[in-house]
Amino acid sequence: MNGGPSGFNNAPVTRSFVVASAIFTVFSGIQGRSHKLGLSYQDVYQKVNFWKIVESAFAFSSTPELMFGLYMLYYFRVFERQIGSNKYSVFIVFSSITSILCEVLALALLKDTSLKFTPGPYGLIFASFIPFYLDIPVSTKIRVFGVQFSDKSFIYLAGLQLLLSSWRRSIFPGICGFVAGSLYRLNFFYIRKAKFPEFISSFFARLSWPSIGRMPATSTRNVLGSMPSYAVRPVEPNYPAPVPSTPEPSEASIAALVSMGFDRSSARQALIQARNDVNVATNILLESQSQ
């Protein structure tokens, strides 16, 4: 399970966030400040250090946490492909700020001066588990020693490893991330309708990271006529004209196919031909790839 096509195609915001997190982690490690990162009661209520709060939102405190964290951030790029870079930017900002505010509130309630929360983008990572659980379908199932696992199980295990990496220090940021993701899901303050000005979201698409790839990244919502992610040739000519009586495919069905790596336009047309049957539409798209 890889969240769709490999690389950061159509996920420029995720690409920038992953690179920024890696740079902050390496930089703080070189400076020997990794153990000093993370929010504590003193940092918030006695001596406010704004730069430390910002750095703690990006940098992980250890190499294992960095590996698990970047792996999940890389996988969750599927959400940017589903909702577009602009709205995903809003999701990142909302989940990060809400998670930090939740941590600040937790420190005020606990009043434990010896407690320092684990640094890193825990808010974004664990907020992403809400749509991951609700929107991403299971594509394969396996049984190991009588226990059934799915392709989603590996993401859950990686998240559990990160959540319990530092016990209480990491559990609280994880819980705050769940809270942030739930509030976004509930459309708190109509946040799901919010958008940034177009020049902000397009800024990430213009960034170029030579070590990651050369393909330009754009929102899947803005590339309606592009070639399908896995197709060798365009799928559209293989479809007959849509049946007028067939209702418009639901966003949930389209999102399910997009999460598997198919192009949004191709997924919509396949659903129309399959009369909104996701399984049949999946077979149509897979057959088009083998031709």
Side-chain angles (χ1 to χ4, degrees):
M1 186 174 189
N2 60 7
S6 61
F8 290 100
N9 300 331
N10 298 329
V13 176
T14 302
R15 174 187 59 188
S16 300
F17 195 94
V18 166
V19 171
S21 182
I23 291 176
F24 271 91
T25 302
V26 172
F27 180 78
S28 61
I30 293 175
Q31 296 293 320
R33 294 186 292 105
S34 298
H35 65 284
K36 298 180 181 179
L37 297 178
L39 296 184
S40 66
Y41 185 84
Q42 295 90 330
D43 295 328
V44 176
Y45 295 101
Q46 293 181 4
K47 47 179 181 179
V48 179
N49 188 333
F50 181 76
W51 172 250
K52 183 178 180 181
I53 294 176
V54 173
E55 189 175 12
S56 296
F58 285 93
F60 291 95
S61 60
S62 66
T63 301
E65 291 174 4
L66 175 66
M67 294 175 60
F68 280 103
L70 293 188
Y71 169 72
M72 284 184 287
L73 288 172
Y74 176 75
Y75 173 79
F76 288 143
R77 73 198 187 284
V78 65
F79 300 127
E80 181 177 356
R81 291 170 175 168
Q82 286 183 354
I83 65 177
S85 297
N86 196 313
K87 286 191 174 183
Y88 189 69
S89 301
V90 174
F91 175 73
I92 289 178
V93 173
F94 177 82
S95 59
S96 299
I97 293 178
T98 303
S99 178
I100 290 176
L101 293 177
C102 181
E103 292 181 32
V104 170
L105 178 61
L107 289 171
L109 296 175
L110 295 173
K111 294 183 179 179
D112 186 349
T113 57
S114 63
L115 177 63
K116 181 186 291 288
F117 291 147
T118 301
Y122 276 65
L124 173 60
I125 291 173
F126 288 97
S128 299
F129 272 99
I130 302 299
F132 174 73
Y133 173 76
L134 296 174
D135 298 335
I136 301 299
V138 173
S139 58
T140 58
K141 293 182 179 181
I142 58 175
R143 186 173 294 274
V144 180
F145 299 115
V147 180
Q148 183 171 283
F149 295 91
S150 71
D151 50 344
K152 296 177 66 173
S153 300
F154 300 103
I155 304 298
Y156 288 128
L157 290 174
L160 184 63
Q161 169 66 30
L162 190 63
L163 183 68
L164 303 179
S165 58
S166 299
W167 193 231
R168 192 170 65 145
R169 295 179 58 240
S170 56
I171 287 179
F172 276 105
I175 292 175
C176 290
F178 289 134
V179 171
S182 300
L183 291 176
Y184 183 87
R185 185 74 182 190
L186 294 172
N187 203 17
F188 192 65
F189 285 138
Y190 300 100
I191 187 63
R192 296 176 67 177
K193 295 183 178 179
K195 285 186 177 182
F196 285 121
E198 192 60 34
F199 74 90
I200 294 179
S201 59
S202 63
F203 168 77
F204 295 99
R206 294 195 297 269
L207 289 177
S208 175
W209 306 99
S211 61
I212 295 176
R214 296 180 179 178
M215 285 194 66
T218 54
S219 167
T220 53
R221 287 181 175 269
N222 297 327
V223 192
L224 297 180
S226 64
M227 182 176 293
S229 303
Y230 290 142
V232 177
R233 62 180 183 176
V235 179
E236 289 83 345
N238 297 330
Y239 297 146
V243 179
S245 60
T246 303
E248 183 69 17
S250 66
E251 280 297 321
S253 298
I254 295 176
L257 293 176
V258 171
S259 69
M260 298 177 192
F262 298 112
D263 178 79
R264 179 181 175 83
S265 177
S266 301
R268 177 180 173 277
Q269 293 189 42
L271 284 167
I272 292 176
Q273 184 181 3
R275 295 183 177 275
N276 294 326
D277 189 314
V278 176
N279 293 327
V280 175
T282 302
N283 291 333
I284 292 174
L285 292 168
L286 291 175
E287 288 176 2
S288 69
Q289 296 171 14
S290 61
Q291 295 177 357

